[in-house]
Amino acid sequence: MSEFDWYLQINLKARHLRLLVTIDTYRNLTQVADVTHVTVPAVSKSLAELERGLGLTLFSRTARGLVPTPYGDCLIRHARSMLTILHQARDDLKALSSGTEGKVYIGMLPASASVLLPQALSFLKERSPGTNVMVTEGTTASLLPELWQGRLDLVVGRLPPPTDTHGSFEEKELLEEPVALMTGHHHPLARKKTLDWSDLRSYPWILPPPGSILRDPLERVLEAHDVPLTNNYIETLSIHVARAQLQVSDFIAVLAGIAPNDTTQPLYTLPLSLPRLLRPAGVLWNRIRGLSPSAQLMVACLEEAAQRLSTGSTTTPRGIKPAAKAKAKRPQ
């Protein structure tokens, strides 16, 4: 074993990882000393020992403070991942010692998991009341980096194109949710006996935000039918905001997996055929890290919820059907 390998495998400690991340955050030894409650010479000595042990320069001393070298950038990136894993191990051990059974960190794509995930969480709590969950809403762009870095165990919602995941994640398809053009029942287009795409041109839209999975394919479909988007629109991923706005305005929205005949906020589905704009709803996890027992149980509950929703065993939005066999699938 080389001296470099020995230092990494035997002598590198959690305090070194925390030091690296803290220096990268503040880039100033005085601030690092303040937040770590030690002296500046002590911080400088610890960094020098780490660089000497590795035989690498991790930070350059500049007029702008400490700037990571390429070696520093590499080690800092791994240090953040390792500290995340240690924090999760701490949480799991605390949970076990307090009588609970673990914790699952889930990222939720709200526009496509608002029915599936709550049902799955109900099944989880029925099976294992001591397994706790933290749910974070966000977009694919914000949640996938968190999943890759280990701060999330699962991401639930509309599966992104495989080209967006670069083969980094395992995925399981769960539900096919049709996409439809919807309005409120009072909308002028809801009273027309026949409808053409050109009839949509003068109305405002509720759109998914730029960068969301549905936005680009929606714009391509509208362009193909010569329906330009007006300057009068609202951008949101919130189904609740979209539903409420459709009840009080002449907006048109594109929604997936929504029950048009909901008794509280009934919607009208415009009779215009859309191609398959999106992949099924499903669940993603980090291929390298795998799944903890609690996360495996959550995936099983998601599968059960998808099956129940598709067969109508629970309150089921009309038109939802299961993804084919819901097989685990490796993105290419």
Side-chain angles (χ1 to χ4, degrees):
M1 181 184 295
S2 68
E3 185 174 344
F4 177 78
D5 289 334
W6 175 86
Y7 193 88
L8 272 180
Q9 297 182 37
I10 305 299
N11 208 42
L12 189 67
K13 297 178 174 59
R15 63 181 177 84
H16 294 133
L17 305 179
R18 287 191 290 270
L19 175 67
L20 283 170
V21 171
T22 306
I23 293 176
D24 183 51
T25 301
Y26 293 97
R27 306 288 177 95
N28 180 285
L29 289 183
T30 300
Q31 288 181 282
V32 172
D34 287 342
V35 299
T36 55
H37 307 292
V38 297
T39 64
V40 172
V43 174
S44 184
K45 180 180 178 182
S46 296
L47 176 58
E49 289 176 349
L50 180 57
E51 292 182 318
R52 186 166 55 252
L54 292 170
L56 300 170
T57 300
L58 302 178
F59 291 90
S60 299
R61 281 70 173 170
T62 73
R64 294 178 289 116
L66 295 173
V67 178
T69 65
Y71 300 115
D73 277 331
C74 177
L75 193 55
I76 289 164
R77 184 173 67 253
H78 289 292
R80 291 185 186 278
S81 296
M82 287 186 279
L83 288 173
T84 296
I85 293 171
L86 287 174
H87 293 158
Q88 291 176 346
R90 175 201 62 195
D91 291 343
D92 287 346
L93 289 171
K94 283 183 176 180
L96 289 170
S97 65
S98 64
T100 55
E101 299 170 23
K103 190 170 185 178
V104 187
Y105 296 83
I106 298 176
M108 171 182 158
L109 301 169
S112 57
S114 58
V115 176
L116 175 64
L117 185 57
Q119 184 65 65
L121 291 175
S122 295
F123 292 152
L124 178 72
K125 284 301 182 178
E126 289 173 7
R127 294 184 185 182
S128 179
T131 299
N132 296 314
V133 179
M134 176 177 285
V135 178
T136 303
E137 290 191 13
T139 64
T140 303
S142 66
L143 295 179
L144 289 188
E146 297 290 295
L147 182 61
W148 175 248
Q149 293 167 21
R151 288 190 279 270
L152 293 174
D153 297 310
L154 304 169
V155 169
V156 179
R158 184 72 59 176
L159 293 174
T163 52
D164 289 357
T165 64
H166 307 294
S168 303
F169 305 106
E170 295 282 358
E171 65 175 39
K172 188 180 288 289
E173 295 182 358
L174 296 172
L175 279 178
E176 291 278 4
E177 297 174 322
V179 176
L181 298 169
M182 292 187 173
T183 68
H185 275 277
H186 65 277
H187 197 286
L189 295 182
R191 297 190 292 269
K192 288 179 69 72
K193 292 183 179 180
T194 60
L195 193 66
D196 189 77
W197 284 92
S198 60
D199 296 323
L200 278 57
R201 291 174 183 164
S202 60
Y203 292 99
W205 288 82
I206 298 175
L207 301 172
S212 56
I213 296 173
L214 183 54
R215 181 63 176 262
D216 286 345
L218 169 62
E219 289 189 358
R220 287 195 294 270
V221 168
L222 294 178
E223 183 179 357
H225 290 283
D226 194 25
V227 181
L229 289 175
T230 67
N231 291 326
N232 184 5
Y233 60 82
I234 295 171
E235 294 176 326
T236 182
L237 285 174
S238 171
I239 292 174
H240 304 294
V241 170
R243 277 185 172 279
Q245 187 64 32
L246 292 179
Q247 302 304 315
V248 297
S249 69
D250 287 344
F251 277 73
I252 301 171
V254 181
L255 300 173
I258 299 298
N261 296 323
D262 185 305
T263 55
T264 57
Q265 288 183 318
L267 300 178
Y268 178 78
T269 302
L270 297 179
L272 293 172
S273 178
L274 289 171
R276 189 190 190 214
L277 299 180
L278 300 171
R279 299 186 65 208
V283 57
L284 290 160
W285 62 91
N286 190 309
R287 165 175 294 177
I288 296 174
R289 298 180 188 280
L291 294 174
S292 67
S294 296
Q296 290 178 30
L297 178 59
M298 187 69 232
V299 171
C301 291
L302 285 163
E303 291 183 278
E304 182 177 348
Q307 186 61 34
R308 296 281 190 93
L309 287 168
S310 67
T311 59
S313 300
T314 61
T315 302
T316 310
R318 196 175 286 182
I320 292 179
K321 60 182 180 179
K325 297 185 181 180
K327 288 184 178 178
K329 185 178 180 182
R330 292 179 181 269
Q332 300 300 315

